Amino acid sequence: QLVESGGRLVQSGDSLRLSCASPGGTISAYLMAWFRQAPGKDLEFVAKIRKSGSTTYGANSVKGRFTISRDDARTYLQMNSLRPEDTAVYYCAADLIDYGMDPGDFGSWGQGTQVTVSS
């Protein structure tokens, strides 16, 4: 399906870039998104990027700090000014239908990559 990479332990204020690829090849036909799940919390929509390149961000807490982007092979999540509350498992998701921001709108998922932000 999808394979995420880039998660690791960082300090508050650091930056990190997550990457997501499809071993099957190009992702150009897909709506791509990032979700995250913090310990004890529900899955949360972070950002999505359409085939056209237009973007939508979720919680106000990530706006201005996180940037989603894509090329034909991968989608990326650039995370700046990281905070301890950003600690979560980050999941990449994809779907051929070019709308939606609920987990149920996405048919393909990665295994997740752990991001831990220490204070």
Side-chain angles (χ1 to χ4, degrees):
Q1 300 275 26
L2 300 171
V3 179
E4 304 98 334
S5 61
R8 60 184 178 90
L9 173 64
V10 297
Q11 293 187 335
S12 182
D14 284 352
S15 296
L16 200 59
R17 188 175 81 157
L18 305 182
S19 178
C20 170
S22 170
T26 179
I27 62 166
S28 60
Y30 292 84
L31 168 69
M32 302 299 296
W34 288 95
F35 290 80
R36 67 184 181 182
Q37 188 166 28
K41 295 189 177 181
D42 292 335
L43 199 59
E44 177 187 31
F45 170 75
V46 176
K48 69 176 182 180
I49 184 165
R50 292 183 169 177
K51 291 178 284 187
S52 65
S54 67
T55 58
T56 302
Y57 293 90
N60 287 331
S61 63
V62 308
K63 293 177 181 177
R65 298 190 300 123
F66 290 12
T67 303
I68 188 171
S69 61
R70 67 186 297 161
D71 56 33
D72 284 346
R74 294 177 180 270
T75 187
Y76 306 94
L77 186 67
Q78 177 68 41
M79 303 185 293
N80 298 329
S81 303
L82 282 162
R83 306 167 182 170
E85 54 264 40
D86 294 319
T87 294
V89 178
Y90 284 73
Y91 295 93
C92 177
D95 204 87
L96 285 171
I97 298 177
D98 202 26
Y99 70 85
M101 50 196 291
D102 292 327
D105 294 327
F106 294 85
S108 297
W109 290 81
Q111 294 296 311
T113 186
Q114 176 71 48
V115 173
T116 303
V117 185
S118 64
S119 57

